[in-house]
Amino acid sequence: MPVAPGQLAPAVAAVTLDREAEAPELAALGAPVDLAALAADRPALLFFYKGDCGACDAAAHVLPRLAAVPGLAVVAVSQDGTEATDGFSNAHRLAAGGVRVLVDPEPWPASDAFGVAATPTFVLLARGGRVEAVVEGWSRDAANGLAARAAALAGAPAPVVSTPHDGPSFRPG
């Protein structure tokens, strides 16, 4: 069962991709990043995903659009290894779009701590790390609603992050 709105986010880390590794063509795992701390001074949206998940693929296009919201941190947390994480990130232009990409290495301690049972799972954290909303699967309406809540927490105008031209309106996780 995922974390519930009103709970404090668990203090658990995912790790960065070290693109300065000895073999530059393959990213390596880097430094740990406390996911709850990402929302210490601003709201944060966490996107838990797997690269081979069709619903994750359908949802990923909204992440750079969400990252454009001033004052909102957007973090993609991959349940894949480094190569698959890099491939998904590059295919969806996540890092180029302002999305921080982290890896939750097997046995997936961050996913477990947040109660992620299906991908994709979006977790919106308010400033200070309190869970505001959890959305599992892909739904255009839910994504636009989540964007409005995230923008309100950040004190920014609500963006429309997905339109009918972006693909399917719903896909279960």
Side-chain angles (χ1 to χ4, degrees), residues 68-97:
V69 173
L72 177 66
V74 178
V75 181
V77 183
S78 172
Q79 295 178 341
D80 293 314
T82 56
E83 189 173 348
T85 298
D86 231 14
F88 188 91
S89 176
N90 291 337
H92 293 285
R93 304 186 41 76
L94 298 184

Side-chain angles (χ1 to χ4, degrees), residues 84-158:
T85 298
D86 231 14
F88 188 91
S89 176
N90 291 337
H92 293 285
R93 304 186 41 76
L94 298 184
V99 178
R100 188 166 189 186
V101 179
L102 301 175
V103 176
D104 185 17
E106 201 170 339
W108 310 286
S111 297
D112 186 50
F114 277 88
V116 174
T119 56
T121 295
F122 294 87
V123 179
L124 178 60
L125 304 176
R127 183 177 291 115
R130 191 162 305 281
V131 176
E132 280 290 316
V134 178
V135 174
E136 295 177 312
W138 165 246
S139 160
R140 177 175 298 118
D141 291 341
N144 285 321
L146 195 60
R149 286 184 77 179
L153 290 172

Side-chain angles (χ1 to χ4, degrees), residues 13-44:
V15 293
T16 61
L17 287 175
D18 180 2
R19 290 184 172 84
E20 305 300 316
E22 287 182 32
E25 68 277 4
L26 295 176
L29 294 179
V33 176
D34 183 334
L35 296 177
L38 293 171
D41 61 353
R42 63 180 173 164

